[in-house]
């Protein structure tokens, strides 16, 4: 939250705990993260359903036994709403050559997901029915086991039902200081 007075520039107002949104965002931008495309199939949307996608950087491994992963979703986003109803979903770990895919699914006010998937090569997961991006470094099909509301996001913990390594070419796409980057 910013507060302004007539004679001064905007001043960051900290939360009760002492950290403003801007300070927190700046500090967390220094943490490099891998970039994934989270996908799910909404069977209730139209005659054959619709595929939905979302770029995420808040994705991580949680457990080896059983194999669990976690993704953080903004509350009331389309993906959050869908995964509250649809337990099966997938993740494609994007390679450095797939920056355009990450940017496309991260846009605010974007066009329909159907159009966004139109020219992206993909296969459909056998377990989840979700789209898996061809050329991704890894793909995972998941089933939600737990949802935890955490502030303005929901943490979705899921069991990995299948894992694939469709491409060994290139390095990972990363996100650092507000930009997509490649490892050098």
């Amino acid at each position: 939250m910013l507060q302004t007075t007539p004679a001064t520039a905007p001043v960051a107002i900290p939360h009760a705990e002492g950290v403003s949104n801007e300070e927190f965002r700046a500090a967390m931008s220094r943490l490099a993260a891998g970039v994934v495309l989270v996908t799910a199939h909404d069977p209730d949307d139209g005659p054959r359903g619709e595929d939905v996608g979302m770029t995420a950087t808040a994705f991580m491994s949680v457990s080896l036994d059983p194999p669990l992963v976690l993704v953080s979703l903004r509350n009331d986003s389309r993906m959050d709403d869908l995964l509250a109803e649809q337990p099966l979903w997938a993740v494609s770990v994007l390679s450095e050559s797939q920056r355009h895919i990450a940017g496309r699914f991260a846009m605010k006010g974007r066009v329909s997901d159907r159009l966004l998937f139109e020219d992206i090569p993909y296969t459909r997961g056998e377990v989840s029915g979700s789209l898996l991006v061809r050329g991704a470094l890894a793909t995972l099909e998941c089933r939600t086991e737990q949802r935890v509301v955490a502030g303005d996001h929901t943490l979705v913990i899921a069991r990995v039902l299948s894992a694939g390594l469709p491409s060994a070419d290139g390095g990972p796409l990363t996100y650092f200081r507000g930009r997509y980057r490649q490892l050098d």
Side-chain angles (χ1 to χ4, degrees):
M1 171 187 334
L2 292 179
Q3 182 177 24
T4 60
T5 60
T8 63
V11 177
I13 303 298
H15 291 281
E17 295 79 17
V19 177
S20 72
N21 290 351
E22 292 77 18
E23 291 168 326
F24 181 66
R25 187 176 289 117
M28 295 309 298
S29 77
R30 283 8 183 229
L31 177 64
V35 182
V36 301
L37 182 66
V38 179
T39 57
H41 183 74
D42 184 354
D44 297 331
D45 193 1
R48 293 187 309 239
E50 184 174 3
D51 296 302
V52 177
M54 179 197 95
T55 301
T57 56
F59 176 78
M60 63 183 283
S61 167
V62 173
S63 168
L64 185 60
D65 187 18
L68 298 174
V69 293
L70 175 147
V71 66
S72 180
L73 306 174
R74 186 175 33 81
N75 292 342
D76 301 320
S77 66
R78 177 144 189 224
M79 189 62 75
D80 179 43
D81 292 344
L82 177 55
L83 295 190
E85 302 295 324
Q86 166 61 282
L88 297 174
W89 48 281
V91 170
S92 297
V93 178
L94 299 179
S95 73
E96 59 196 3
S97 67
Q98 295 174 319
R99 178 184 302 211
H100 65 287
I101 295 171
R104 181 183 294 189
F105 284 91
M107 290 186 306
K108 293 184 191 291
R110 63 188 202 206
V111 297
S112 78
D113 286 10
R114 186 179 317 271
L115 293 174
L116 296 178
F117 282 115
E118 203 167 71
D119 63 344
I120 295 174
Y122 63 82
T123 59
R124 192 168 292 280
E126 291 182 24
V127 177
S128 68
S130 301
L131 301 186
L132 303 170
V133 177
R134 288 193 185 174
L137 296 178
T139 57
L140 305 166
E141 291 186 89
C142 307
R143 182 185 65 236
T144 299
E145 299 230 330
Q146 187 176 3
R147 293 173 53 88
V148 179
V149 175
D152 59 3
H153 278 64
T154 297
L155 308 177
V156 179
I157 301 168
R159 183 177 298 255
V160 176
L161 304 173
S162 76
L165 303 173
S167 178
D169 294 337
L173 181 60
T174 58
Y175 194 74
F176 179 71
R177 287 191 165 182
R179 292 185 26 219
Y180 296 116
R181 303 184 186 249
Q182 304 176 191
L183 294 180
D184 291 330

